Each structure stands twice: as C-alpha cells, then as structure tokens.
Amino acid sequence: MADVTLTIDGVTVTVPEGATIMEAADKAGIHIPRLCYHPELSIAGACRVCIVEVEGMRNLPASCSYPVSEGMVVRSHSPEVLRLRRDIVELLVDNHPMDCNTCERDGNCELQRLANAMGIRERLFAGDRKRYAKDLTGPSIVRDPEKCILCGRCVRMCGEVQEVAALGQVNR
C-alpha cells in the first residue's frame, strides 16, 4: 500500500493510503475533538464534532471518516471550523439534562470535557427539550435517552465489540 503525504495545520505528515484525516492528525500530534469516534469501532461520522476545513472543498468533512489524499491541505482549527464546532457542541449541550453536578459521569464525561474546553458555560437556546423516561426494561442495560447525543457509539459497541446487537436506533 502506498503512502500519502498531506499537510495539517502547517505540519506535513505521511500516512498509509486509505487513512482518515483524523488518523493523520493523530500521527502528527494534532488533536481534533471527537465524540462518536472510537478506535475499536466502525466509523459513523455522526456527531460532526471532528469537522475540518480541506483546501479546495466547499463543505467541511468529518475528519474521522474522510480519507486523505496526496497533497491535501487541512485546517483543523481555523476560525470557521472552531465557530461551527462550538455551535455543534452548544446544540448538544442545550438539549442535554442540566444535572451535571449530580450525574454519575460528572468529571468523566466526554461532552462535559469538550464543552468546558470550548468555554461553553451556559445554555444559549431556550425552548423545549426532549423528555424521555429511562429505559429499565432489561436487567443488564440501563439507558437514559435524555443523555443520548445520537452518535450511535453504544449501538456500535454493543454489536461490534460485545457481539450482542441488543441496541439499535429507531426514528432518528
């Protein structure tokens, strides 16, 4: 397999053909924020937190799923990318329960950590939030749909790693 050389935030990196922008950035020591990505799971590109700017492209691709190409120039922290990434996280936070201080994941929550890193301290969008009861139907899975960000990581983990396929998404 051939190697591909590209530039990410001014850093030149060479990766195997077929690698994603996120994999190339990780190799170059450049952190691109992510929520739905997990190295042991298939790629979903659902959360869009890992968007980047690729020179010559009109749209901002998800770096976790977009393959690299020879000579590609990527900006992962341009003003537009940072603004849009922050908007995405703000929308996720605004539709999330306001119980961080009492949540069992407080201090160990990827969404909370990402929001704090982006300086998101308050909810900007008023209005109705989704309201769902906890799913306690099974003895081994307790699911709180109000905390779901629709990334699909739990579904992929259940099917691909646990090989149980007990979870799925409906009416997304």
Side-chain angles (χ1 to χ4, degrees):
M1 188 175 275
D3 284 342
V4 175
T5 301
L6 66 151
T7 304
I8 305 174
D9 296 337
V11 177
T12 301
V13 61
T14 301
V15 294
E17 185 178 40
T20 64
I21 293 172
M22 182 177 285
E23 291 168 334
D26 286 347
K27 183 177 180 186
I30 298 167
H31 178 71
I32 297 175
R34 59 202 74 178
L35 283 174
C36 70
Y37 174 81
H38 190 282
E40 294 179 31
L41 300 176
S42 62
I43 303 301
C47 74
R48 308 304 291 177
V49 170
C50 69
I51 57 171
V52 294
E53 193 176 325
V54 177
E55 199 170 278
M57 281 187 69
R58 199 180 87 149
N59 298 328
L60 303 179
S63 65
C64 68
S65 62
Y66 201 82
V68 297
S69 60
E70 186 62 40
M72 179 183 270
V73 177
V74 178
R75 286 180 288 285
S76 68
H77 290 81
S78 70
E80 181 183 16
V81 167
L82 293 177
R83 181 184 60 78
L84 290 172
R85 193 177 285 152
R86 182 184 170 101
D87 288 351
I88 291 166
V89 174
E90 281 177 344
L91 288 169
L92 290 171
V93 167
D94 283 348
N95 202 35
H96 210 67
M98 294 191 288
D99 64 352
C100 290
N101 292 335
T102 58
C103 178
E104 63 191 31
R105 302 273 308 167
D106 186 32
N108 190 27
C109 170
E110 292 175 66
L111 180 60
Q112 182 184 48
R113 193 172 19 256
L114 190 55
N116 286 338
M118 293 181 169
I120 299 169
R121 305 280 183 255
E122 59 186 87
R123 295 171 187 260
L124 301 178
F125 302 100
D128 291 335
R129 225 178 27 79
K130 62 183 177 183
R131 302 265 183 214
Y132 301 107
K134 285 186 180 177
D135 179 0
L136 307 170
T137 56
S140 58
I141 299 174
V142 175
R143 191 176 149 280
D144 188 348
E146 286 198 11
K147 295 186 180 181
C148 179
I149 62 168
L150 300 174
C151 70
R153 200 161 81 173
C154 62
V155 175
R156 291 179 287 136
M157 183 65 73
C158 188
E160 297 170 19
V161 176
Q162 298 296 325
E163 296 182 350
V164 177
L167 298 176
Q169 289 180 319
V170 177
N171 298 328
R172 184 186 155 112

